[in-house]
Amino acid sequence: MFVSPPIPFNQSSDKDLLAYAVGAALYMPATRQTIAEDILSAKHEGLVSIVIDLEDAVGDQQVELAEEMLMQQLFLIASYVKIGVLAESQLPLIFVRVRAVEQLRSLLGRFGQLITHITGFVLPKFTPENGEAYFYEIASYNKTRGESSPMLYGMPILETASVIYRESRVETLLGIKRILDKYQSCVLNVRIGATDFSSLFGLRRSPDMTIYEIAPIRDCIADIINIFGRVDSGYVISGPVWEYFSNRERVLKPQLRITPFEEALGHVGRDLRSLYISNSMDGLIREVIMDKENGITGKTIIHPTHIKPVQALYAVTHEEYIDATSIISNNNGYLGVMKSQYANKMNEIKPHLNWARRILARSQIYGVLHEQQHFIGLLPGHEQVYS
């Protein structure tokens, strides 16, 4: 499949690499009793990162229980690693989504050695008012951590009314950016919470639509990208959750072409395409493609069947890689423009240079496909999907 396979990484890898590596981040409630067992058994093939949720996925009356169950699961993970039945290399990046600064502070005090298996915290409803306190706690831990303990990171979620309401948006986003710039060494991703945004307008996208077709959300995402997605900002932005995973009646015509599936997998490809369409996965694929086109890397997911499609779509094509390496290698002042090696486009050195650098960064984590290969070849076979 790969001319250049994905490189291995773990929570101690370079921050710039980890920012791209979060990828398809699978959310699960902290009340789930099998988190450690699922990791031990490698239940979810391709899993690279999980978010153990203490916030929206947990009822208000279950918070204490959820915290205790989180501690139990982390203890089990640490025990499996200690006795050698679970290798460190098998661990996904583990994040905890907290409810408030006070809970973050409390957990930092309670975790003890268990914290060595945590990559960071997801910070919900992040605003200029609460953001400084969140990152102060994370930065304070990093200053006092032991030499053998990895860095902790924060991933703020932009999802509040002050972010999406037009009259307060720019001021709020700039206030958030000032905080993130101050603590940039601790910021791994900037995440978009489209579900909370939608709720403020009483909206919910249908399986036939992407988030980019919901006008107020699209406009807000555009401004988030404008402020945090600039090359000189240095932030990786992650896409919002896709909510659908089961059968339903279609309204609009599906947009997955038959040809790429047949070329990649033969008659099995046709069956796989039909199955993906019947389970709303064509909407997910289309939205991830839109995410990529807008410079977004990675996505929040809520079902394990979303892991491989998201990861596969971020694999770099051979054509992208050849273009990117050609642009970078010819950035020596002797050429301004040249025909691509695929002879189907023009590559301009200066205008396309930043794009090329991002492609190479992505290629390390997601790999470079062989010339005749397609992301479809990385998808699970029809017997594995929704079984």
Side-chain angles (χ1 to χ4, degrees):
M1 285 300 302
F2 293 99
V3 66
S4 176
I7 66 172
F9 62 87
N10 57 42
Q11 66 183 123
S12 298
S13 298
D14 182 77
K15 171 182 170 285
D16 292 338
L17 192 70
L18 282 183
Y20 283 93
V22 175
L26 179 62
Y27 270 55
M28 52 187 68
T31 49
R32 183 177 176 87
Q33 299 180 21
T34 61
I35 294 174
E37 292 296 327
D38 290 349
I39 293 173
L40 178 64
S41 65
K43 180 180 180 180
H44 305 311
E45 186 179 3
L47 182 69
V48 292
S49 59
I50 64 171
V51 178
I52 305 174
D53 192 1
L54 289 165
E55 200 216 8
D56 286 344
V58 173
D60 292 341
Q61 304 304 315
Q62 290 187 304
V63 176
E64 289 188 14
L65 172 65
E67 288 184 359
E68 291 306 316
M69 294 183 72
L70 167 65
M71 298 293 290
Q72 290 175 17
Q73 294 304 308
L74 291 176
F75 176 79
L76 284 174
I77 291 169
S79 299
Y80 294 152
V81 171
K82 186 174 182 180
I83 64 177
V85 297
L86 179 64
E88 291 274 3
S89 60
Q90 293 177 268
L91 287 177
L93 303 177
I94 300 174
F95 300 90
V96 176
R97 180 158 90 157
V98 294
R99 288 182 161 231
V101 174
E102 293 74 22
Q103 187 179 50
L104 171 61
R105 186 182 303 120
S106 172
L107 291 175
L108 286 173
R110 293 178 63 187
F111 279 150
Q113 285 299 111
L114 298 180
I115 204 166
T116 58
H117 297 300
I118 295 175
T119 305
F121 293 89
V122 177
L123 313 173
K125 299 172 178 59
F126 195 91
T127 67
E129 289 71 36
N130 64 20
E132 177 86 25
Y134 272 128
F135 274 105
Y136 174 82
E137 296 297 333
I138 294 172
S140 296
Y141 166 83
N142 285 332
K143 287 180 181 177
T144 58
R145 65 188 171 92
E147 290 186 7
S148 60
S149 298
M151 281 271 292
L152 276 184
Y153 299 101
M155 300 198 297
I157 310 179
L158 310 188
E159 56 184 346
T160 61
S162 62
V163 171
I164 196 165
Y165 289 169
R166 183 179 293 275
E167 66 271 20
S168 56
R169 182 184 306 160
V170 173
E171 181 181 353
T172 301
L173 289 176
L174 291 175
I176 290 171
K177 188 174 185 298
R178 283 191 288 271
I179 294 171
L180 300 191
D181 288 349
K182 180 178 177 180
Y183 294 98
Q184 192 161 15
S185 64
C186 303
V187 182
L188 201 57
N189 273 183
V190 175
R191 308 188 74 82
I192 299 173
T195 302
D196 278 36
F197 283 157
S198 298
S199 72
L200 293 167
F201 298 91
L203 302 174
R204 186 176 191 177
R205 73 184 178 285
S206 73
D208 292 306
M209 300 291 174
T210 72
I211 200 66
Y212 297 95
E213 290 158 298
I214 309 300
I217 316 301
R218 177 194 63 225
D219 291 349
C220 184
I221 290 175
D223 285 342
I224 290 171
I225 294 169
N226 195 304
I227 290 176
F228 295 97
R230 303 175 191 182
V231 171
D232 58 359
S233 291
Y235 296 106
V236 172
I237 303 172
S238 179
V241 67
W242 179 260
E243 300 173 336
Y244 298 96
F245 55 85
S246 63
N247 294 326
R248 47 115 189 161
E249 293 292 326
R250 293 202 65 89
V251 176
L252 300 179
K253 184 178 180 180
Q255 297 191 40
L256 291 181
R257 294 173 57 238
I258 294 175
T259 304
F261 282 83
E262 287 188 334
E263 288 178 348
L265 299 172
H267 71 277
V268 173
R270 183 183 285 267
D271 295 339
L272 182 61
R273 173 184 176 271
S274 297
L275 191 58
Y276 271 46
I277 289 170
S278 68
N279 287 283
S280 304
M281 297 288 275
D282 59 318
L284 168 64
I285 288 171
R286 183 163 175 251
E287 186 164 293
V288 175
I289 290 172
M290 292 291 290
D291 287 341
K292 284 172 54 181
E293 290 297 310
N294 284 281
I296 288 174
T297 301
K299 199 164 190 67
T300 295
I301 61 172
I302 45 78
H303 198 274
T305 54
H306 297 171
I307 296 170
K308 280 197 169 182
V310 173
Q311 293 293 115
L313 280 159
Y314 279 102
V316 172
T317 67
H318 186 261
E319 182 175 346
E320 288 175 320
Y321 184 74
I322 292 299
D323 283 341
T325 53
S326 176
I327 289 165
I328 289 174
S329 64
N330 284 286
N331 182 33
N332 53 21
Y334 289 99
L335 281 176
V337 64
M338 57 191 173
K339 183 170 67 174
S340 72
Q341 292 184 36
Y342 271 70
N344 62 355
K345 73 178 76 64
M346 105 181 151
N347 288 330
E348 290 191 75
I349 305 300
K350 290 182 179 179
H352 292 141
L353 185 60
N354 289 326
W355 168 86
R357 287 169 174 159
R358 286 188 171 182
I359 290 294
L360 293 188
R362 210 176 81 210
S363 73
Q364 295 185 77
I365 293 297
Y366 301 97
V368 180
L369 296 170
H370 272 292
E371 185 174 357
Q372 300 302 321
Q373 296 293 347
H374 194 278
F375 84 90
I376 291 167
L378 296 173
L379 298 177
H382 67 284
E383 74 283 354
Q384 296 173 279
V385 182
Y386 304 106
S387 57

